[in-house]
């Protein structure tokens, strides 16, 4: 199993991380387009420039909250009592009052739809106790994800000296959120909703949710210094893209820039998941407790991002030995499936043992010999 994972890792390191450069009409100071499944960058502009992200910061706030839910340390139906500090937040908010009680699920809705700063702080305090600790966890998580251009000072994106990130880093944390926590779509795809039993109306700050086909999220942001930002996600034909816009000139222009990126991605690229035309035949096992072992492909590492015209011309090569010696461990690499576009290897996928086969013991071997002799006689 470890050999199979090592092969996947080594091949992943050989894959290009950025597609061929293309000139797109994007006005924002910085921009980037990434495909979710592979993490491949399809377009970039000033992708490492440290810029203020405004409320796009909340992507990390949402990520830490969803991770806490997955870990079981908090739950959707937890009732949060709003602190004085959370209630004091300026900027965009849902006007939470000190002492008001509201569930984690409703707070997530308030952050995703209305970009509530007060709701973000309430979530941060519920996850970590105090916002200072939560912000430290934001920065630690950023380092774990390889976000080298990022420094978080708060969980809201309100202007603060030194609070910066980059288009690449926003795409990285956005990918982590939507790839591993698809349940966030329950909130990011809401166009209009309400809080407090219908008393407070919400309208999504991300206008692409209403006006762009396949939009799935994710987060807008704007301040006088950050200008207009968005991490926009959309899915079509099983492929989800992340378009990041930082320091756009106007609110509408950031959405136009995001659409330019998304349109380019969807019109040019598609995902291909490698598979075999028919199941692998069981492979003979030498001196094994079983005569054969079944084979399979791993679930991960089988997807490639290709230009649409390339997919029809792909070829496959299967390399397998005539047999394998016992013992065999489940997940052991037995062979390789190579997917090629012309002469170029697009994917090299380990072919794995589907189950373990123990080595034949001497007593079992003797019994087989006797059975064979008796049968032959």
């Amino acid at each position: 199993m470890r050999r199979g994972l090592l092969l996947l890792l080594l091949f992943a390191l050989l894959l290009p991380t950025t597609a061929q450069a293309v000139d797109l009409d994007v006005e924002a100071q910085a921009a980037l387009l990434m495909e979710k499944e592979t993490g491949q960058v399809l377009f970039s502009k000033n992708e490492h420039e440290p810029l203020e992200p405004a409320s796009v910061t909340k992507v990390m706030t949402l990520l830490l909250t969803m991770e806490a839910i997955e870990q079981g340390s908090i739950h959707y139906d937890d009732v949060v009592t709003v602190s004085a500090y959370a209630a004091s937040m300026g900027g965009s908010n849902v006007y939470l009052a000190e002492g008001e009680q509201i569930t984690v699920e409703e707070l997530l809705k308030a952050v995703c739809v209305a970009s509530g700063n007060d709701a973000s702080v309430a979530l941060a305090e519920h996850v970590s106790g105090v916002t200072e600790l939560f912000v430290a966890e934001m920065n630690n998580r950023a380092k774990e994800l390889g976000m080298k251009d990022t420094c978080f000072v708060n969980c809201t994106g309100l202007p603060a000296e030194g609070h910066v990130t980059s288009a690449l880093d926003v795409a990285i944390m956005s990918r982590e959120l939507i790839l591993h926590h698809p349940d966030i779509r329950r909130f990011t795809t809401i166009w209009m909703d309400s809080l407090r039993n219908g008393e407070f109306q919400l309208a999504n700050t991300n206008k692409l949710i209403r006006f762009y086909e396949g939009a799935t999220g994710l987060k807008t942001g704007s301040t006088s210094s950050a200008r207009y930002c968005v991490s926009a996600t959309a899915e079509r034909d099983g492929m989800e893209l992340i378009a990041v816009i930082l320091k756009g000139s106007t609110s509408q222009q950031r959405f136009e820039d995001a659409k330019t990126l998304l349109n380019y991605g969807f019109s040019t690229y598609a995902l291909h998941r490698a598979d075999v035309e028919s199941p692998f035949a069981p492979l003979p096992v030498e001196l094994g407790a079983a005569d054969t072992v079944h084979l399979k492909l791993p679930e991960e590492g089988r997807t490639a991002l290709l230009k649409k015209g390339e997919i029809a011309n792909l070829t496959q090569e299967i390399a397998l030995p005539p047999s394998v010696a016992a013992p065999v461990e489940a997940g052991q690499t037995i062979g390789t499936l190579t997917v090629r576009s012309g002469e170029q290897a697009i994917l090299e996928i380990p072919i794995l043992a589907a189950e373990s086969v123990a080595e034949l013991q001497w007593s079992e071997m003797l019994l087989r010999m006797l059975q064979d002799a008796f049968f032959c006689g």
Side-chain angles (χ1 to χ4, degrees), residues 44 64 105-106 156 248 250 269 287 325 328:
S44 61
L64 291 187
E105 182 157 348
E106 292 287 273
T156 60
T250 67
Y269 292 93
L287 300 178
V328 179

Side-chain angles (χ1 to χ4, degrees), residues 22-338:
V22 63
D23 186 19
L24 297 178
D25 185 17
V26 175
E27 295 184 13
Q29 179 76 19
L32 186 132
L33 179 66
M34 177 182 284
E35 191 279 318
K36 177 192 73 174
E37 194 70 24
T38 63
Q40 188 165 340
V41 175
L42 308 181
F43 173 86
S44 61
K45 174 184 177 181
N46 299 328
E47 68 273 23
H48 286 291
E49 183 175 355
L51 294 169
E52 294 180 57
S55 284
V56 175
T57 297
K58 296 184 178 82
V59 171
M60 182 59 82
T61 302
L62 293 170
L63 175 59
L64 291 187
T65 301
M66 296 302 291
E67 288 178 342
I69 291 172
E70 182 180 36
Q71 294 161 7
S73 58
I74 68 171
H75 306 87
Y76 282 123
D77 58 0
D78 286 354
V79 177
V80 178
T81 301
V82 178
S83 69
Y85 179 61
S88 71
M89 288 296 107
S92 57
N93 57 61
V94 293
Y95 305 101
L96 297 176
E98 180 182 357
E100 181 177 350
Q101 293 192 314
I102 185 169
T103 65
V104 165
E105 182 157 348
E106 292 287 273
L107 289 171
L108 282 167
K109 185 196 300 184
V111 172
C112 293
V113 180
S115 194
N117 292 322
D118 45 2
S120 296
V121 171
L123 282 175
E125 292 176 339
H126 187 61
V127 171
S128 301
V130 293
T131 55
E132 290 83 1
L133 180 56
F134 187 83
V135 172
E137 291 173 355
M138 291 172 70
N139 286 307
N140 288 337
R141 194 71 179 95
K143 289 179 182 178
E144 291 173 357
L145 293 173
M147 297 167 56
K148 299 179 180 179
D149 311 313
T150 296
C151 177
F152 293 119
V153 177
N154 58 53
C155 64
T156 60
L158 285 167
E161 185 175 355
H163 186 96
V164 294
T165 188
S166 66
L168 176 59
D169 284 1
V170 169
I172 289 171
M173 66 179 177
S174 298
R175 177 177 182 254
E176 186 71 12
L177 176 61
I178 64 175
L179 180 64
H180 298 293
H181 305 282
D183 200 39
I184 197 67
R185 282 190 181 193
R186 291 202 294 121
F187 309 102
T188 60
T189 55
I190 293 172
W191 173 237
M192 299 189 74
D193 209 319
S194 62
L195 295 175
R196 304 182 181 99
N197 297 317
E199 295 179 6
F200 187 85
Q201 299 301 309
L202 302 174
N204 204 317
T205 58
N206 181 5
K207 305 311 176 188
L208 297 176
I209 294 299
R210 173 72 185 278
F211 299 107
Y212 189 80
E213 179 189 352
T216 58
L218 183 61
K219 192 70 201 71
T220 60
S222 64
T223 65
S224 58
S225 53
R227 303 301 292 157
Y228 296 92
C229 311
V230 66
S231 177
T233 58
E235 182 177 20
R236 294 181 187 174
D237 298 323
M239 181 175 71
E240 192 164 14
L241 300 177
I242 304 161
V244 178
I245 301 297
L246 296 181
K247 210 162 189 178
S249 57
T250 67
S251 177
Q252 183 58 33
Q253 187 59 49
R254 67 176 161 185
F255 295 130
E256 293 302 320
D257 283 348
K259 287 193 288 186
T260 295
L261 296 183
L262 294 170
N263 288 341
Y264 164 71
F266 286 127
S267 65
T268 309
Y269 292 93
L271 288 175
H272 172 74
R273 181 171 172 82
D275 207 346
V276 288
E277 294 181 357
S278 58
F280 294 109
L283 191 70
V285 179
E286 299 173 5
L287 300 178
D291 293 331
T292 61
V293 63
H294 292 89
L295 304 175
K296 67 176 184 178
L297 294 177
E299 289 302 313
E300 303 295 327
R302 293 168 54 182
T303 302
L305 183 70
L306 301 168
K307 288 191 173 180
K308 289 186 173 181
E310 297 174 342
I311 294 178
N313 300 318
L314 296 178
T315 59
Q316 292 186 351
E317 299 173 5
I318 294 176
L320 282 169
S323 62
V324 61
V328 179
E329 294 183 11
Q332 178 180 326
T333 297
I334 305 297
T336 305
L337 170 66
T338 302

